[in-house]
Amino acid sequence: MAGGILPARDERLAELERWAGQKTGQIGDPAERRIVRSFAAWHHLRRLRRDSERHHITAEQADHVQNEIRAATGLITWLRDHGTSLGACTQRDIDTWLASGTGSCYHARAFVTWATTRGHARGLDIPKRGRSDLITQIEDDHRWALVRTLLHDDSHAIEGRVAELLVLLYGQPLARIARLTRDQITLTPNRAQLVLGTTPLELPAPLNELARQILGRRHGHAAVGRTDNHR
């Protein structure tokens, strides 16, 4: 692909397709495995393939699809563990699953709606969860205590500390942090700047020193099989 011999492809979409096949393959019952794979293929992947012809899919799109497929697989597994199936499932089963699980269970809403519409299930509904229910608040004193710990505790990986500080100090979503590259950090003798949008953000001390340490390290070679720095 780099040499132009093969056409370019959307690597994130290709990885998502591989992941979906592996995740749905964990479902033991062949009929229910086909149902979840059909949901993944026709409700999500077909649309993403069409979108990818115009521009590559984003990390947020991939995360959304993974959350919904993961929740669908989790629901099928839970039903089997509790002696029932998708076809025999009742609303009482769904309510019990939601009450006994975490907030991630609500990601199965699209799957339940899709399965009910296509006759794989009957009379099931997962209510749309209000945004206020999805947000976990953190007290300011606790937040600043975490910030102080991350700034000065060098027992944890520096990349993780910087990522957590970007969440706590600047409210950056994890998907955006995961896509940050080394060339988004600009260093001068007196300052360190991070480009998160269109305007460079000047990092205060001692966060700026953590950024300098990241740029001063060589890492990621084994993971990507290359001899140069990983971006």
Side-chain angles (χ1 to χ4, degrees), residues 3-223:
I5 299 172
L6 296 175
R9 70 173 181 176
D10 188 334
E11 292 295 336
R12 184 174 284 121
L13 177 58
E15 176 59 30
L16 179 60
E17 291 173 331
R18 286 192 294 268
W19 177 89
Q22 295 170 357
K23 188 65 179 178
T24 55
Q26 299 173 5
I27 300 174
D29 182 77
E32 292 185 333
R33 183 166 61 245
R34 285 193 298 271
I35 292 173
V36 179
R37 281 184 168 171
S38 295
F39 168 72
W42 297 105
H43 185 74
H44 284 303
L45 296 178
R46 180 178 63 168
R47 172 179 51 82
L48 291 181
R49 292 188 190 104
R50 185 174 61 247
D51 293 346
S52 182
E53 293 177 358
R54 298 190 300 271
H55 51 77
H56 289 183
I57 69 171
T58 65
E60 288 86 351
Q61 287 177 298
D63 289 342
H64 174 72
V65 172
Q66 286 182 319
N67 286 336
E68 294 203 346
I69 294 175
R70 191 180 290 114
T73 303
L75 173 59
I76 294 295
T77 302
W78 185 92
L79 292 173
R80 282 292 173 182
D81 291 344
H82 288 75
T84 186
S85 64
L86 181 64
C89 176
T90 66
Q91 185 62 41
R92 181 183 293 273
D93 295 320
I94 294 294
D95 294 341
T96 302
W97 180 63
L98 293 173
S100 60
T102 65
S104 62
C105 293
Y106 283 83
H107 289 303
R109 181 173 187 267
F111 171 68
V112 167
T113 301
W114 179 90
T116 301
T117 301
R118 283 155 182 77
H120 301 303
R122 292 178 296 175
L124 304 182
D125 178 61
I126 293 181
K128 187 174 182 180
R129 204 172 189 195
R131 181 170 176 80
S132 60
D133 296 332
L134 299 174
I135 297 177
T136 300
Q137 300 291 339
I138 182 171
E139 297 294 333
D140 279 347
D141 290 345
H142 184 203
R143 181 167 68 93
W144 286 113
L146 290 172
V147 168
R148 285 191 292 271
T149 299
L150 291 167
L151 286 173
H152 303 292
D153 183 2
D154 59 3
S155 63
H156 299 285
I158 186 172
E159 293 87 355
R161 292 165 62 194
V162 171
E164 294 170 69
L165 287 165
L166 292 177
V167 173
L168 292 169
L169 294 174
Y170 302 107
Q172 294 299 298
L174 295 181
R176 180 179 296 172
I177 294 174
R179 295 197 307 274
L180 290 176
T181 59
R182 296 159 69 86
D183 54 14
Q184 287 177 252
I185 302 177
T186 302
L187 299 180
T188 64
N190 299 321
R191 65 175 59 179
Q193 293 182 321
L194 173 64
V195 178
L196 293 174
T198 58
T199 304
L201 171 71
E202 185 165 347
L203 300 177
L207 179 56
N208 59 354
E209 292 304 319
L210 296 180
R212 290 180 184 276
Q213 292 179 45
I214 287 181
L215 257 64
R217 299 174 59 182
R218 296 177 62 85
H219 57 85
H221 303 163

